């Protein structure tokens, strides 16, 4: 059973930065497309960012473009989400996910991902 573990969440003020990390046990992530999603209270889980298995291709939802950066270090079996200029509307539980399917395009929908972490809370105060 693959386990993904997120870390790096916390309580920050608007304008601050956080870096989330996602690491895996019992699986090497270097062949998997990886995604970050978030879910705020009372809302559906939404796509934030994704990165291809090679790291050459990245995708972002419009609301985080220019502020968030997804990256990966396959040697460390870890995926990162650098979040800058945080806003109160970024407050949510953030999840990383792994897509084992080696698709033609990196998916941006939750249903396409096979494994999920337990989530890490990010709270941005105004």
């Amino acid at each position: 059973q693959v386990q993904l573990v997120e870390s790096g969440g916390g309580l920050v003020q608007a304008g601050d930065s956080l870096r989330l990390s996602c690491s895996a046990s019992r699986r090497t992530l270097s062949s998997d497309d990886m995604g970050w999603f978030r879910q705020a209270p009372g809302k559906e889980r939404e796509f934030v960012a994704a990165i291809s298995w090679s790291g050459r291709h990245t995708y972002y939802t419009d609301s985080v473009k220019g502020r968030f950066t997804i990256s990966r270090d396959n040697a460390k079996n870890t995926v990162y989400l650098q979040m800058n200029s945080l806003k109160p509307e970024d407050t949510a539980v953030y999840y990383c996910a792994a897509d084992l399917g080696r698709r033609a395009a990196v998916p941006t929908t939750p249903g396409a991902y096979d494994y999920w972490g337990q989530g890490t809370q990010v709270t941005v105060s105004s």
Side-chain angles (χ1 to χ4, degrees):
Q1 181 74 16
V2 175
Q3 288 185 316
L4 301 178
V5 179
E6 302 97 336
S7 62
L11 171 63
V12 297
Q13 293 186 330
D16 286 350
S17 299
L18 281 174
R19 188 176 80 157
L20 305 183
S21 299
C22 172
S23 59
S25 62
R26 302 192 183 98
R27 180 171 179 86
T28 300
L29 298 177
S30 58
S31 298
D32 302 334
D33 294 336
M34 299 293 296
W36 284 96
F37 292 79
R38 65 188 179 188
Q39 188 165 18
K43 295 187 177 181
E44 293 186 352
R45 191 167 298 189
E46 66 170 353
F47 169 74
V48 176
I51 188 167
S52 62
W53 65 271
S54 66
R56 285 198 288 265
H57 305 287
T58 58
Y59 305 87
Y60 300 91
T61 193
D62 286 346
S63 63
V64 308
K65 285 179 181 177
R67 300 189 298 123
F68 291 12
T69 303
I70 188 171
S71 62
R72 66 191 304 158
D73 185 338
N74 286 340
K76 294 183 177 180
N77 212 33
T78 301
V79 178
Y80 305 98
L81 185 67
Q82 177 67 44
M83 305 186 296
N84 298 330
S85 302
L86 282 161
K87 304 175 181 180
E89 51 263 44
D90 295 319
T91 295
V93 177
Y94 283 70
Y95 300 90
C96 72
D99 170 30
L100 281 58
R102 228 14 133 84
R103 304 169 194 272
V106 178
T108 60
T109 55
Y113 285 82
D114 301 290
Y115 292 101
W116 293 82
Q118 82 290 348
T120 185
Q121 177 70 47
V122 171
T123 304
V124 185
S125 63
S126 57

